[in-house]
Each structure stands twice: as C-alpha cells, then as structure tokens.
Amino acid sequence: MTNPTLLILAAGMGSRYGGLKQLDKLGPNGETIMDYSVEYAIRAGFGKIVFVIRKSMEDDFRTFILSRYIDRIPVEYVFQELDVLPEGFTVNPERVKPYGTAHAILVAKNAVKEPFTVINADDFYGEDAFRVMADFLRSPQGATLPQFAMVGYRLENTLSENGSVSRGVCTANDKGQLVSITEMTKIQHTANGIANCSEDGQVTPLDGSTPVSMNFWGFTPLFFEKLDEMFCHFLEKNNSNPKSEFQIPTVINYFLQSGAAQINILKSDAKWFGVTYQADRPLVVQRLRELGE
C-alpha cells in the first residue's frame, strides 16, 4: 500500500489568539506544535507532508518550518487565498477571512494523490492518533463503499478555560461509524455544565463524553471530486455573504446523508490540547515540557 500523506492546514489567521500561532515556539527546544505533528507522522510511516499556508506566510514558513523537514521527508506547500476560486467566480470585495477548512483541503488537490490525513497546524493530537490513522489508511478497502475516518476526542477534554471554542459534535452508531456531525461555534463551560451558547441566545446542553472532531480526518483522493462540485454550489448560494465559510462538516454530512461513504470513528489513547487564546499558551508549554520528562 502507498504510504499516506499528511495535509496540515496552516493558513488560519489566528484572530482569537492574536498572531500566527502556527509559528509560535511552544516546545522546550523551540518546537512548534507542527514540529510534533510532523515527527509523529514520520514515526507512523507517512510518506509526504503538504502544508496549506497563505502567501504572506511563505518567507517565514520557508525559513522556520520547511528547513526543519526538507531532509527528512518530501514536503510541499500550497496557498489558500481568497482568489483561489473555480472559473466564473470572483471574490466578494467585503470578504476578509479565507473560505474555511473544506476550501483549504480543496486547494491541495493537485499536491495529494494518495490516501491522506488532514490536521490543524495549531492542535496537538498525540502520537497514537497518527499511528491509528496511518494503520487505517494503509489497510485494504474491501468494503463496497469508500471508507473514510476521523479520530474522535471527548468533548470535555477539548475545551478552553479562557473562552468558547468551535467543535464538530458527533453522533455514532453501535458499529463506531459516524452518523452526523454538527459544527458548534460557541461551546463553553457554564454554571449548568457544558453547552453551546449561540449568538442568537439559544443554549444547547452537551454531554462531556460526546465525541467531537478536532479536524483529524482520513480520506482517499476521491474526496476531492465531491469537494469541487460542492464548493461551486456553496459559492452560488453564499458568495454574497462575506462571512460565510465552506467547512469540513458540511462535506462530511453530504457523504453521510447520501450514503456515498462510511466514516469510521477511530479509537486512540492520544490526548488533544491546543492554543485557541493567548491565555492557553502557558498550559500548552507546560504539557509539551512534560512529554520529555
């Protein structure tokens, strides 16, 4: 089997964090979180790394990131920019932020020709997550339907004490397969437990043991085929809204609702942590230091 590719989404603007957290040196020896992800991917047998970045990050990326890996594993990078659109579409002049995580995957379609894993650059996923995903992607697919996967994490272990977070809240069947995923953007601790507190005032209580997606996905290249079509439909409906986003859960739900693929929730002993806000930074620094102790 072909060794899988790791696709790292690193083009996010980091507005809540207050800077380019993808390049923040959080480890005891100046490592970024991406350094850990790449190291774990190499150990798990991934064969190539592809980064999605912005053009404005290119010089820093080549100096501080690319040089770390170029002699260890094949590395490519692609740009997620507002003007990377299908023919016939133009950018809404009021749009500031990128089009979302599904668009970030789509811009890498010419660089990824093998089974691949998608992760966020600024999330620490744990070594075991890369192992179980690599094993899944290398396994022969004997099923009738295409087999995709995600690593699930307990909601209660993915929250920040410093503000709300966005999570893909999942439901699964008794076979451990994903049934639905709902993007919730204001999940936080409340006086009555964990809940999503939407901007319109609606409060949705959530169980802390609920599996959530932290954008650790495993796909085959046919995933790109549907992305092209769905992004065109998204732009036709939403390009007039400069804040609309084309997110991974939207595409995942298409596959689930249409029955076009099965999505397996992989079990892992890995622990997630990340930096959503600047105030999260000291805890992440501490946890990374503890890894080497």
Side-chain angles (χ1 to χ4, degrees):
M1 294 292 291
T2 301
N3 287 332
T5 287
L6 178 64
L7 180 63
I8 300 181
L9 308 185
M13 300 186 75
S15 57
R16 287 181 292 183
Y17 184 71
L20 291 177
K21 55 186 173 179
Q22 298 91 342
L23 301 180
D24 198 356
K25 297 178 180 180
L26 299 166
N29 299 304
E31 301 94 341
T32 68
I33 286 182
M34 284 190 290
D35 290 330
Y36 289 91
S37 294
V38 172
E39 177 62 32
Y40 293 158
I42 291 172
R43 293 181 190 178
F46 283 76
K48 182 172 69 175
I49 310 294
V50 177
F51 291 90
V52 180
I53 64 172
R54 300 197 317 274
K55 287 184 179 178
S56 62
M57 295 170 59
E58 185 177 13
D59 288 344
D60 281 346
F61 177 84
R62 292 181 66 88
T63 300
F64 300 111
I65 301 296
L66 191 63
S67 60
R68 292 175 182 256
Y69 316 131
I70 199 69
D71 294 328
R72 302 187 63 201
I73 189 170
V75 179
E76 298 181 37
Y77 60 91
V78 297
F79 297 121
Q80 182 185 19
E81 296 293 330
L82 298 184
D83 59 355
V84 182
L85 298 176
E87 186 176 352
F89 293 96
T90 57
V91 179
N92 184 322
E94 297 181 14
R95 175 171 282 277
V96 176
K97 290 188 176 183
Y99 285 92
T101 51
H103 178 244
I105 296 176
L106 184 57
V107 301
K109 67 178 182 179
N110 293 326
V112 179
K113 303 299 181 184
E114 47 282 312
F116 66 102
T117 292
V118 177
I119 66 168
N120 293 333
D122 47 16
D123 288 326
F124 181 92
Y125 293 101
E127 184 172 2
D128 188 62
F130 290 88
R131 180 190 61 79
V132 299
M133 183 61 80
D135 288 346
F136 173 85
L137 293 175
R138 282 194 294 257
S139 299
Q141 291 204 6
T144 303
L145 291 175
Q147 299 292 304
F148 302 153
M150 59 164 278
V151 176
Y153 294 82
R154 290 172 65 94
L155 172 61
E156 63 190 359
N157 294 334
T158 71
L159 302 181
S160 171
E161 297 297 327
N162 302 299
S164 63
V165 297
S166 298
R167 299 289 181 257
V169 178
C170 303
T171 56
N173 61 22
D174 56 7
K175 296 180 180 179
Q177 296 168 337
L178 187 64
V179 174
S180 67
I181 180 168
T182 303
E183 186 76 7
M184 296 188 178
T185 59
K186 296 288 183 179
I187 300 176
Q188 56 195 283
H189 290 290
T190 72
N192 297 316
I194 301 171
N196 185 66
C197 305
S198 62
E199 293 182 358
D200 61 6
Q202 182 177 355
V203 177
T204 304
L206 296 168
D207 189 320
S209 64
T210 300
V212 296
S213 162
M214 301 306 300
N215 273 352
F216 198 116
W217 296 97
F219 301 119
T220 62
L222 65 82
F223 188 74
F224 290 115
E225 298 175 13
K226 194 61 188 178
L227 273 184
D228 264 324
E229 178 185 340
M230 292 189 70
F231 189 46
C232 288
H233 290 165
F234 166 84
L235 291 172
E236 289 169 356
K237 287 185 175 182
N238 300 287
N239 206 25
S240 60
N241 178 1
K243 295 185 178 181
S244 60
E245 294 187 347
F246 183 48
Q247 301 285 33
I248 293 173
T250 301
V251 183
I252 294 299
N253 277 324
Y254 160 78
F255 281 101
L256 295 174
Q257 294 165 10
S258 67
Q262 288 181 343
I263 301 174
N264 303 275
I265 301 179
L266 305 183
K267 295 181 179 180
S268 170
D269 295 331
K271 304 296 183 182
W272 174 95
F273 53 85
V275 281
T276 303
Y277 301 91
Q278 275 285 353
D280 295 328
R281 192 180 189 279
L283 179 59
V284 171
V285 170
Q286 175 186 335
R287 288 183 175 178
L288 291 176
R289 183 172 59 248
E290 291 170 352
L291 287 177
E293 295 179 353

